[in-house]
């Protein structure tokens, strides 16, 4: 029984490893290969070129924006463009100042340190980072109480690249120490189409233009989702079609995986369905919505809600969540006269 369990775990790990390897292979390797984010690319390219000409490490970089837009990819590109090693960690992994001191003391001159979800770093580590970013030094405290001694440790000049999905949670003193900040925007459909075409070439998938545009239109403005949907459509084309991704094949595959023409998945539609059919369009508290769809509050609030709000299907009000006229229309239902987006719409947006 144990052997079978171990074999099962090994198989799961192999699948996960294969998926991660595929995702890594699809990442752009340089700024020139990045599709979209033109403003960020131009600004970042200028920062890196100036640092190269001076022969110094670039300023610290803060990248913010929703998940899946390329923050980790840009950190890897910064290291590649500067031909320096990249050290990766995450905010939740740095629970003590000692954790950060160990990472920083192991850096070499010019290294790029990438900290994902930097807003989740512990407060003591955060305060240590202030000194490291400005003076390239950390003070390690030995002992406790009145006899404690701070020993300064010099750190070679390095570049910190911080990534966050919630820039508002970053303390002002930390945010101000970044020399360059960039906010990544959602991608346009034509940019996602280009990304899907590039990924299809790398995966050796035969696609038609109408097939890639169909995938792009359902990708929620996010390259990570576009690449994931491409892999699932590739599987469908291989097993149930002739291996060629056309619009019909893409549509049938994505319908099977419950991703509709607007990019809404099962959870998105469940939230709208409960809000409209069970609660008459709201207002409803997010906790009540979460219980009604059988999910955690955080899942509804952080996974489904941002996209629904961005698509104009959900309104956040002081009294709770409200379905807009577009949401009723999406479900094929008649909207109440006072639903947001109708002529009788009261001004009740925003909490």
């Amino acid at each position: 029984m144990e052997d079978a369990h171990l074999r099962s775990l090994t198989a799961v790990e192999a699948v996960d490893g294969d998926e991660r390897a595929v995702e890594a292979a699809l990442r752009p390797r340089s700024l020139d290969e990045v599709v979209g984010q033109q403003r960020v690319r131009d600004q970042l390219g200028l920062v890196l070129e100036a640092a190269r000409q001076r022969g110094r490490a670039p300023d610290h970089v803060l990248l913010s924006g929703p998940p899946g837009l390329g923050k980790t990819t840009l950190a890897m590109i910064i290291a590649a463009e500067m031909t320096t090693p990249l050290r990766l960690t995450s905010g939740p992994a740095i629970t003590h100042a000692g954790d950060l001191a160990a990472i920083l003391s192991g850096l070499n001159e010019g290294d790029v340190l990438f900290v994902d979800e930097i807003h989740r770093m512990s407060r003591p580590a955060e305060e240590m980072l202030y000194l490291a970013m400005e003076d390239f030094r950390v003070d390690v405290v030995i002992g406790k109480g009145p006899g404690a001694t701070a020993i300064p440790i010099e750190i070679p000049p390095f570049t910190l690249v911080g990534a966050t999905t919630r820039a508002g949670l970053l303390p002002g003193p930390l945010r101000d120490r970044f020399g360059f900040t960039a906010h990544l925007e959602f991608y346009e459909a034509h940019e996602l189409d280009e990304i899907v075409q590039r990924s299809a070439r790398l995966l050796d998938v035969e696609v038609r233009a109408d097939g890639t545009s169909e995938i792009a239109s359902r990708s929620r403005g996010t390259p990570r989702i576009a690449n994931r949907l491409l892999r699932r459509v590739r599987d469908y084309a291989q097993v149930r079609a002739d291996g060629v991704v056309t619009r019909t094949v893409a549509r049938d595959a994505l319908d099977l995986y419950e991703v509709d023409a607007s990019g809404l998945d099962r959870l998105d539609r469940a939230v709208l369905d409960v809000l409209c059919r069970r609660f008459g369009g709201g207002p409803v508290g997010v906790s009540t919505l979460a219980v009604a769809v059988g999910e955690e509050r955080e899942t509804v609030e952080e996974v489904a809600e941002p996209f629904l709000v961005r698509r104009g299907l959900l309104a956040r009000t002081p009294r709770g969540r409200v379905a807009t006229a577009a949401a009723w229309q999406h479900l094929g239902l008649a909207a109440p006269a006072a639903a947001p987006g109708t002529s009788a719409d009261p001004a009740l947006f925003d909490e």
Side-chain angles (χ1 to χ4, degrees), residues 55 115 118-119 135 181 211 233 244 320:
V115 182
I118 193 171
H119 64 272
D135 300 331
T181 62
V233 172
V244 180

Side-chain angles (χ1 to χ4, degrees), residues 42-57:
D42 291 344
Q43 294 173 348
L44 185 57
L46 185 63
V47 170
L48 298 181
E49 181 58 30
R52 275 195 296 265
Q53 292 182 9
R54 290 193 300 266
R56 301 181 60 183

Side-chain angles (χ1 to χ4, degrees), residues 30-292:
S30 68
L31 283 176
D32 291 336
E33 293 182 13
V34 175
V35 176
Q37 308 294 345
Q38 186 65 50
R39 176 181 52 82
V40 173
R41 286 163 51 201
D42 291 344
Q43 294 173 348
L44 185 57
L46 185 63
V47 170
L48 298 181
E49 181 58 30
R52 275 195 296 265
Q53 292 182 9
R54 290 193 300 266
R56 301 181 60 183
D59 280 344
H60 304 301
V61 176
L62 177 64
L63 303 172
S64 66
L69 299 188
K71 296 184 291 296
T72 302
T73 296
L74 283 178
M76 293 178 173
I77 288 174
I78 290 171
E81 296 274 354
M82 300 305 296
T83 63
T84 58
L86 175 69
R87 309 291 182 90
L88 295 95
T89 187
S90 65
I94 304 175
T95 55
H96 305 286
D99 299 333
L100 180 62
I103 294 171
L104 293 173
S105 61
L107 295 176
N108 297 315
E109 186 170 353
D111 282 359
V112 175
L113 174 62
F114 175 61
V115 182
D116 197 13
E117 294 300 301
I118 193 171
H119 64 272
R120 296 176 62 187
M121 187 184 301
S122 69
R123 183 53 58 89
E126 208 172 77
E127 293 173 353
M128 175 180 283
L129 193 57
Y130 297 161
L131 190 61
M133 293 173 71
E134 281 194 332
D135 300 331
F136 299 110
R137 188 184 91 237
V138 293
D139 292 336
V140 179
V141 179
I142 305 297
K144 294 182 179 180
T149 304
I151 301 176
I153 299 177
E154 299 296 323
I155 303 170
F158 70 99
T159 297
L160 173 68
V161 180
T164 177
T165 54
R166 307 182 71 177
L169 296 183
L170 277 179
L174 177 58
R175 190 167 53 246
D176 293 343
R177 282 170 167 80
F178 286 95
F180 172 68
T181 62
H183 181 77
L184 303 188
E185 305 288 348
F186 286 102
Y187 288 64
E188 299 294 334
H190 68 90
E191 295 171 337
L192 288 172
D193 195 349
E194 189 176 340
I195 289 171
V196 173
Q197 291 180 33
R198 175 184 177 274
S199 298
R201 289 194 298 271
L202 293 173
L203 294 173
D204 197 24
V205 178
E206 188 176 352
V207 296
R208 299 286 183 265
D210 57 356
T212 59
S213 64
E214 185 69 23
I215 295 172
S217 68
R218 302 190 188 205
S219 298
R220 303 166 77 114
T222 307
R224 181 184 296 165
I225 294 176
N227 286 329
R228 187 181 73 224
L229 295 183
L230 172 63
R231 299 200 298 275
R232 300 292 71 82
V233 172
R234 172 199 60 184
D235 296 344
Y236 183 94
Q238 177 183 329
V239 175
R240 297 194 179 180
D242 59 0
V244 180
V245 176
T246 63
R247 171 169 290 168
T248 300
V249 169
R251 184 183 297 126
D252 292 345
L254 295 175
D255 287 347
L256 175 66
Y257 288 110
E258 299 183 281
V259 179
D260 68 19
S262 298
L264 275 66
D265 60 18
R266 181 203 61 79
L267 176 60
D268 300 323
R269 289 193 301 277
V271 169
L272 292 184
D273 191 74
V274 163
L275 186 55
C276 293
R277 297 181 192 274
R278 194 175 304 179
F279 296 107
V284 181
V286 67
S287 297
T288 303
L289 273 180
V291 171

Side-chain angles (χ1 to χ4, degrees), residues 292-304:
V293 298
E295 295 284 354
E296 296 293 330
R297 174 193 170 112
E298 291 76 13
T299 303
V300 172
E301 199 167 23
E302 297 178 14
V303 177

